[in-house]
Amino acid sequence: QVHLVESGGGSVQAGGSLRLSCKASGYGYSCVGWFRQAPGKEREWVATIYPHGGITDYTNAVKGRFTLSHDNAANTVYLQMNSLKPEDTAMYYCAATPPTTCLDDDFAGWGQGTQVTVSS
């Protein structure tokens, strides 16, 4: 199973930017997804990247503001977050699917998360 470590969170004012990193190690993977969980709410999917095909997908709430990219050499996925809003405040997690699948139910290897706080 792949092991993932998130970093890059912090506190910013509304309209600011942050770049989150998700570094993978261990076994291979296919898709990498970002998820977030705000206090008192369920975890929600944010975005997914299929690095080998350069395919990305985003939840409507972040389209046009968040951008995924992948550094193959570093086995790292980046989530560039611009025009941040207070409602983006949450703990952000990344997870990956095994090399042969990209199904939502197959995300695993969850990291410890990185906190993003956006003040108004």
Side-chain angles (χ1 to χ4, degrees):
Q1 180 172 296
V2 65
H3 178 63
L4 302 166
V5 178
E6 305 96 337
S7 62
S11 297
V12 297
Q13 290 190 330
S17 298
L18 286 171
R19 189 178 77 158
L20 304 184
S21 299
C22 174
K23 184 171 178 58
S25 61
Y27 293 103
Y29 54 92
S30 176
C31 290
V32 176
W34 280 97
F35 301 78
R36 65 187 181 186
Q37 187 167 20
K41 294 187 177 181
E42 293 187 353
R43 185 175 64 199
E44 65 172 346
W45 169 73
V46 175
T48 297
I49 184 169
Y50 176 59
H52 305 294
I55 299 170
T56 57
D57 193 17
Y58 304 88
T59 189
N60 286 338
V62 308
K63 280 182 180 177
R65 300 188 298 121
F66 291 11
T67 303
L68 284 163
S69 61
H70 183 256
D71 183 333
N72 289 333
N75 281 330
T76 300
V77 168
Y78 302 100
L79 181 66
Q80 178 67 43
M81 305 187 298
N82 299 329
S83 302
L84 282 162
K85 304 175 181 180
E87 51 263 44
D88 294 318
T89 295
M91 185 72 79
Y92 283 70
Y93 302 89
C94 64
T97 61
T100 58
T101 178
C102 191
L103 299 176
D104 291 346
D105 290 343
D106 293 331
F107 278 107
W110 298 89
Q112 81 290 348
T114 186
Q115 178 68 39
V116 171
T117 303
V118 184
S119 58
S120 57

